[in-house]
Amino acid sequence: MQKILIALLALTTAVSAWLAFQYHDQLAEKDARNSALTAERDAALAAEKAARTATDPLRENIERLTRERDRLQQTGLAQQNPAPGGAIPPGGGGPNSGMPGVARMLATLQTPEGKRMLQNQSASKVQRQYAELAQRMKLSPQDTTVLMGLLADRQTALTTARANASGNAAKAAADVSSIQSEFNDKLKSTLGESGFGEFSDYDKSVDERGAVNQFEDQFKSAGTPLDPAQKENLVQLLASEREKSPANPFDPSKNDPNAVLTALRDESTFGAWEKQQEDYKNRVLQAATKTLTPDQVDTLKKTLDQKSERQKAGLQVFKTTGVPPPPPQQQR
């Protein structure tokens, strides 16, 4: 009897061990399936976010141009059927609504509403561009507020000076140089010599930092994310190669919009710019092989190609309508 009990106990133990082993395998298999589904979900979310990042500027531009078309249509109707007493009809867009895009924009900047709008846009832009710098420098909230205020004032002054140049390149260059010098003195006084040096280094690559921030989601969705060192190296690489290139004559945020519009109508100037952009991209991709993996370089090429196509589309719209393209979105 004792032998039978021992045998039954041994059999029960063996069965229990076998069941435990099977249960463990099932749990491991379930964990693996959960991990695979989680990874698939994260990849899908990243791809969706990257798609939104790529299409949002285009969608916003379409909406802006639609509003522009509607204003022009309203103006045409108002001219055909003027309101009694010369009043501006509802939805007519105000006294500047019949002007071409650039002329209306410049006229708007002279109004109190236009000046407030420009100041608000400048404040929003510098907050996106320089928040990271304030964190790096460990500035207090009060010093951060002062810095952001100075940079917003600088941005507003530079935009206004370029807009008021009326195609006079020499005047624009002189006014911009004077404004830069004035604000450099104010920034030195606020940040000190050492802090101003750190600011200057960051300021030289601020556009590239915004671009790399935009690129990050596309690297992640492609399964080739950038580590912090690669991201910083890419910023410096883009800035270095940009400094070797001629200035972009078609950037309305850094040039007189009237001069940009005139240059856009010169096919030879546009062709030279396209070649310069292609040369810049090839230099960047060649240099990037020292920092990025082959898969990351492939992702960078696709990203730069997309950026180039968006730039060309925006410039074509500007050339056709006289409405400057919106600045690129920058993600923090």
Side-chain angles (χ1 to χ4, degrees):
M1 184 67 177
Q2 185 176 7
K3 290 181 178 180
I4 294 174
L5 289 174
I6 291 174
L8 287 173
L9 180 60
L11 179 61
T12 301
T13 302
V15 170
S16 298
W18 181 81
L19 289 172
F21 181 76
Q22 291 296 317
Y23 182 64
H24 180 272
D25 278 355
Q26 291 174 2
L27 285 178
E29 184 180 353
K30 186 177 294 185
D31 287 344
R33 285 201 303 270
N34 286 340
S35 297
L37 289 172
T38 300
E40 186 177 348
R41 179 205 64 191
D42 291 344
L45 290 173
E48 180 188 5
K49 186 176 180 181
R52 287 200 306 269
T53 299
T55 59
D56 278 353
L58 297 177
R59 177 178 52 76
E60 291 172 2
N61 205 28
I62 290 171
E63 291 174 353
R64 189 166 59 94
L65 291 172
T66 300
R67 293 193 298 270
E68 183 73 17
R69 179 204 63 193
D70 292 343
R71 283 197 297 268
L72 291 174
Q73 289 176 343
Q74 287 282 358
T75 301
L77 290 173
Q79 290 173 344
Q80 294 174 18
N81 303 289
I88 299 172
N96 300 321
S97 62
M99 297 181 179
V102 170
R104 183 167 57 258
M105 179 193 73
L106 298 180
T108 299
L109 290 181
Q110 306 305 317
T111 67
E113 294 80 7
K115 291 176 182 178
R116 283 196 296 271
M117 178 188 69
L118 178 58
Q119 185 67 29
N120 290 336
Q121 289 177 342
S122 297
S124 177
K125 180 178 180 179
V126 302
Q127 184 63 41
R128 291 195 309 269
Q129 290 181 320
Y130 294 92
E132 182 182 344
L133 173 65
Q135 293 173 354
R136 286 188 183 192
M137 298 180 69
K138 296 184 170 68
L139 297 180
S140 68
Q142 293 81 2
D143 287 342
T144 298
T145 299
V146 171
L147 174 63
M148 295 301 173
L150 283 173
L151 293 176
D153 289 345
R154 183 184 71 166
Q155 180 67 37
T156 299
L158 289 172
T159 301
T160 302
R162 291 174 180 126
N164 290 338
S166 301
N168 187 330
K171 173 175 170 53
D175 289 347
V176 165
S177 177
S178 175
I179 291 167
Q180 293 282 23
S181 178
E182 174 190 351
F183 278 92
N184 281 348
D185 290 341
K186 293 179 179 179
L187 289 164
K188 282 180 186 177
S189 176
T190 299
L191 300 173
E193 286 292 339
S194 175
F196 179 75
E198 188 173 351
F199 161 79
S200 297
D201 289 340
Y202 185 96
D203 195 40
K204 290 175 184 176
S205 61
V206 70
D207 289 338
E208 286 71 28
R209 292 184 186 281
V212 172
N213 283 334
Q214 282 187 295
F215 297 168
E216 269 197 295
D217 282 340
Q218 290 168 272
F219 277 93
K220 289 177 183 176
S221 65
T224 58
L226 298 171
D227 63 39
Q230 288 177 320
K231 182 179 175 181
E232 184 62 29
N233 286 336
L234 184 55
V235 167
Q236 298 303 327
L237 188 161
L238 292 172
S240 174
E241 293 302 331
R242 188 250 307 152
E243 288 177 359
K244 299 175 186 176
S245 303
N248 180 1
F250 300 136
D251 186 349
S253 70
K254 296 183 179 178
N255 299 287
D256 173 10
N258 276 310
V260 174
L261 200 53
T262 299
L264 277 173
R265 297 191 176 106
D266 183 346
E267 292 298 330
S268 62
T269 301
F270 192 83
W273 172 79
E274 283 188 300
K275 184 179 184 307
Q276 291 165 3
Q277 292 296 101
E278 190 66 21
D279 290 344
Y280 165 80
K281 182 180 70 177
N282 290 336
R283 294 198 311 270
V284 166
L285 293 173
Q286 181 62 38
T289 59
K290 301 175 184 177
T291 301
L292 307 181
T293 67
D295 286 342
Q296 287 174 323
V297 172
D298 185 56
T299 300
L300 179 61
K301 181 181 184 305
K302 293 176 182 176
T303 302
L304 292 175
D305 286 342
Q306 291 170 2
K307 180 182 178 183
S308 178
E309 290 305 312
R310 288 196 299 270
Q311 283 179 321
K312 290 178 184 177
L315 290 174
Q316 185 59 44
V317 169
F318 187 20
K319 178 181 177 181
T320 303
T321 67
V323 180
Q329 268 190 327
Q330 293 186 357
Q331 309 212 341
R332 307 308 301 179

